[in-house]
Amino acid sequence: TKMPPLLRRIFVKPLLLCFLLVHEEVGSEDIFAVHEWSVHSVKRFAVDYSFVNKIDGSNATLREVSGCRFYANNQVALIGDEGELFTGHIEVSDNEMDVKILTRVPLSSVNGDWVDSESLTFVNDSLFISTEAHTRHDGAYSALAISKYDLYTGQALEQDALRIPKFITANVGNNLGFEALTAINQIHGKSLLTTTEGPLTNDEDKTRRFLLTGFPESNASVIAEYHASTLDDGTSLGVVDFEALATTFLALERGYSQGSNTIRLFEVAFSFDNQQNTTIKRQLFEWNTSNPLGNELEVDNYEGICLFPNATFDKSNKLAMARLLLVNDDNTNPSQLGTQFVALDISFRFDLDSQPSPPSIQFWNRLVLSNTTSQNGTTNITMNTTNETHTKIDDDQHKEDDDTDFIPGYDDDEYAGDPDTVGRPNNQWLWLLPAVIFVLMVIALCRTFRTQQPNSSQEDDDGIELSYASSTSKSKDGAKYGRIDHDEFSILPVDDYDDDSQYL
């Protein structure tokens, strides 16, 4: 049904917001979506693999890849942690994967001497890259930041695109910064989700802080606390990458102990618990020396995950079938495997008619769903369903007064690089929002449906001419009455208004 733009803005969006405020908690067994996975194919490049750079024809070296993201059908961007950005072409067919590395550009530094680039993601056509605070042995410094870059030149288009809370920048460990980054879909648009690889100085070893930011707002806010898994000796794994799914996201954790890597992949969800954000997760697999992936692949230093851009949908089983790419950082170390790409076939529960909608992640437009049924003849591994609930952060406890900090032990009211203190809004009056919305709805309805003369027009106080097309009808008793035809309701531009898309 067509609806006037003013009514749509005041009526529909507040209703959706109210839905999020009163949304009942979804059971953890209903939140998780990953159903099965299996190894599809592998492609390995030797250490110091050399290729011809398509930009200038020079020889370039593929090395130390720590993140990946597809930006077109088979086109992938790869980030190297020595401040390098690669692009390539990846195709999979049957049980084979073909990978061609095409370009390499250096990244310009952001508030530092060099760029320890760790992860990347796209928001529409914009490329965002996360970097770590890292001081090398020679004294060269890389700053903690999430910045906007040009994919083809490596130049920073907007340095420090997101303002990071000062308590994060002041307490992040050396070489333990923003390794994980992804774009998630919310009701107001896309947002960036990130976290530090390791704990802050005042946190427990396994504690991580999830930061979320929306656009055009550039302030990053801590939204939840997450607990990384631990090894047998009690050492926590580092959180090295994220990838968004439908209503959940994947978190890749990596640890190194006694000369061996441990890689764990988790599915993580935000949920309501007494109107507070919590995180729950379940382990999809553990990959180490004694547990080869798919009983055949040797473990290495895997740091990046990304979904291939296409998926198929099995209507009968309500499953979406997609592929997940994993890539490792070879550290330019001859004793490692080299750079290896691993493609997993992965299926998700995806009921188009009844999708659960946790408040922090709403829609899945990362994948293009087609109405075809996929046949998978490979042996699949069914997921375990053990859930782990983590400590939540209560926004209602946040105070703008520095004496009562939102996160104990930290001054969380200031943002790095901002001379003025900027705190998150106090939500103690949030319960009034539904009443305010109701009043606005009543006002909007009164303004929209007030009686108008047939075929008349009037000009409002702001110079916009409002035109109403009326018609007459007969009721059952034969009496005539007037009504407004809403399909004909329009706002006509006059004076300086040249575009029909501009509204009051």
Side-chain angles (χ1 to χ4, degrees):
T1 304
K2 293 183 178 180
M3 183 178 293
L6 180 63
L7 188 60
R8 183 169 60 249
R9 290 185 178 187
I10 298 180
F11 184 77
V12 177
K13 290 186 177 181
L15 278 182
L16 293 175
L17 180 58
C18 283
F19 168 78
L20 296 183
L21 291 175
V22 300
H23 193 283
E24 295 182 359
E25 180 180 4
V26 180
S28 59
E29 69 277 3
D30 297 323
I31 289 179
F32 292 119
V34 176
H35 179 61
E36 295 176 335
W37 64 268
S38 63
V39 176
H40 178 274
S41 52
V42 179
K43 180 68 175 182
R44 181 186 299 182
F45 294 93
V47 176
D48 292 331
Y49 168 76
S50 179
F51 65 96
V52 176
N53 191 343
K54 298 297 184 182
I55 294 178
D56 55 14
S58 63
N59 289 329
T61 301
L62 178 68
R63 58 178 184 170
E64 303 192 28
V65 178
S66 59
C68 61
R69 280 296 180 274
F70 284 88
Y71 60 93
N73 192 26
N74 293 308
Q75 307 301 314
V76 66
L78 307 169
I79 195 72
D81 62 12
E82 288 293 329
E84 297 175 299
L85 180 62
F86 305 92
T87 64
H89 182 88
I90 300 180
E91 286 190 4
V92 291
S93 59
D94 297 329
N95 292 322
E96 296 182 355
M97 175 167 44
D98 181 48
V99 181
K100 292 183 174 65
I101 308 302
L102 302 177
T103 67
R104 176 259 180 204
V105 292
L107 298 176
S108 62
S109 62
V110 178
N111 299 334
D113 305 312
W114 67 296
V115 181
D116 185 352
S117 45
E118 295 293 345
S119 191
L120 74 167
T121 194
F122 290 88
V123 176
N124 300 324
D125 295 328
S126 299
L127 169 63
F128 290 87
I129 294 177
S130 62
T131 58
E132 287 190 309
H134 188 182
T135 302
R136 297 189 304 205
H137 297 298
D138 59 4
Y141 175 72
S142 170
L144 181 75
I146 298 177
S147 303
K148 187 176 178 180
Y149 278 86
D150 186 287
L151 175 64
Y152 303 102
T153 67
Q155 294 299 306
L157 303 178
E158 187 177 347
Q159 297 184 356
D160 294 329
L162 308 178
R163 295 198 300 174
I164 310 302
K166 282 186 177 180
F167 81 90
I168 298 288
T169 59
N171 293 280
V172 67
N174 185 48
N175 199 24
L176 294 173
F178 296 148
E179 285 233 8
L181 180 69
T182 192
I184 65 174
N185 296 291
Q186 296 197 97
I187 200 165
H188 65 269
K190 284 197 173 183
S191 296
L192 293 180
L193 180 70
T194 187
T195 192
T196 56
E197 178 186 5
L200 302 180
T201 54
N202 289 354
D203 282 337
E204 295 182 0
D205 185 56
K206 64 181 181 179
T207 300
R208 307 292 184 270
R209 306 290 180 179
F210 278 0
L211 279 76
L212 184 74
T213 182
F215 297 96
E217 164 132 10
S218 60
N219 290 342
S221 298
V222 176
I223 59 167
E225 183 177 299
Y226 173 87
H227 288 172
S229 60
T230 58
L231 299 173
D232 292 338
D233 61 5
T235 304
S236 68
L237 278 69
V239 182
V240 293
D241 210 359
F242 290 149
E243 178 61 299
L245 302 180
T247 56
T248 60
F249 64 94
L250 300 176
L252 186 68
E253 297 185 9
R254 176 209 55 194
Y256 186 81
S257 178
Q258 299 179 350
S260 176
N261 288 285
T262 296
I263 307 297
R264 292 172 182 163
L265 184 66
F266 294 90
E267 183 179 11
V268 185
F270 292 109
S271 182
F272 266 151
D273 181 8
N274 297 325
Q275 298 183 346
Q276 298 167 345
N277 270 345
T278 63
T279 59
I280 57 175
K281 71 176 184 179
R282 64 168 179 167
Q283 182 175 304
L284 304 184
F285 64 72
E286 178 172 345
W287 188 3
N288 54 33
T289 302
S290 59
N291 294 294
L293 188 67
N295 296 320
E296 56 179 310
L297 291 182
E298 181 182 352
V299 70
D300 202 82
N301 180 36
Y302 284 84
E303 293 190 11
I305 53 174
C306 56
L307 282 172
F308 284 77
N310 297 311
T312 57
F313 186 63
D314 183 346
K315 289 183 177 180
S316 60
N317 295 316
K318 297 181 179 180
L319 292 175
M321 279 69 70
R323 287 194 175 98
L324 181 72
L325 183 69
L326 292 87
V327 63
N328 68 322
D329 179 353
D330 68 354
N331 292 306
T332 319
N333 184 352
S335 65
Q336 290 186 222
L337 297 175
T339 300
Q340 182 162 276
F341 298 89
V342 178
L344 302 181
D345 286 324
I346 188 166
S347 62
F348 312 94
R349 290 187 299 104
F350 193 80
D351 186 351
L352 293 174
D353 298 323
S354 58
Q355 269 293 295
S357 300
S360 298
I361 304 176
Q362 292 297 323
F363 305 113
W364 190 17
N365 63 10
R366 295 295 307 277
L367 300 179
V368 180
L369 298 177
S370 61
N371 295 324
T372 59
T373 300
S374 174
Q375 300 294 331
N376 188 353
T378 60
T379 302
N380 292 326
I381 302 173
T382 303
M383 299 297 94
N384 295 325
T385 57
T386 303
N387 302 325
E388 182 179 352
T389 303
H390 301 284
T391 306
K392 52 186 173 291
I393 289 178
D394 183 359
D395 279 339
D396 292 335
Q397 295 176 357
H398 172 63
K399 306 294 182 182
E400 295 184 1
D401 185 354
D402 289 343
D403 295 333
T404 54
D405 291 320
F406 172 59
I407 298 177
Y410 298 110
D411 179 0
D412 61 336
D413 298 321
E414 297 182 353
Y415 286 78
D418 185 3
D420 301 323
T421 59
V422 182
R424 286 182 300 282
N426 192 330
N427 293 327
Q428 61 179 325
W429 302 108
L430 191 61
W431 63 273
L432 287 174
L433 185 58
V436 173
I437 292 173
F438 176 77
V439 173
L440 291 176
M441 289 165 50
V442 172
I443 295 174
L445 290 172
C446 291
R447 287 175 59 88
T448 304
F449 296 110
R450 62 186 177 184
T451 305
Q452 300 292 327
Q453 295 298 324
N455 299 321
S456 65
S457 65
Q458 69 180 44
E459 187 172 304
D460 75 348
D461 295 337
D462 293 315
I464 303 296
E465 184 180 353
L466 303 178
S467 177
Y468 299 83
S470 301
S471 62
T472 58
S473 303
K474 280 191 175 183
S475 62
K476 293 182 179 179
D477 58 2
K480 292 184 178 181
Y481 60 91
R483 66 177 177 86
I484 296 174
D485 187 345
H486 299 293
D487 291 343
E488 297 299 323
F489 178 85
S490 62
I491 300 180
L492 303 180
V494 296
D495 298 333
D496 296 332
Y497 288 82
D498 299 324
D499 187 346
D500 287 345
S501 65
Q502 298 192 36
Y503 306 109
L504 286 178

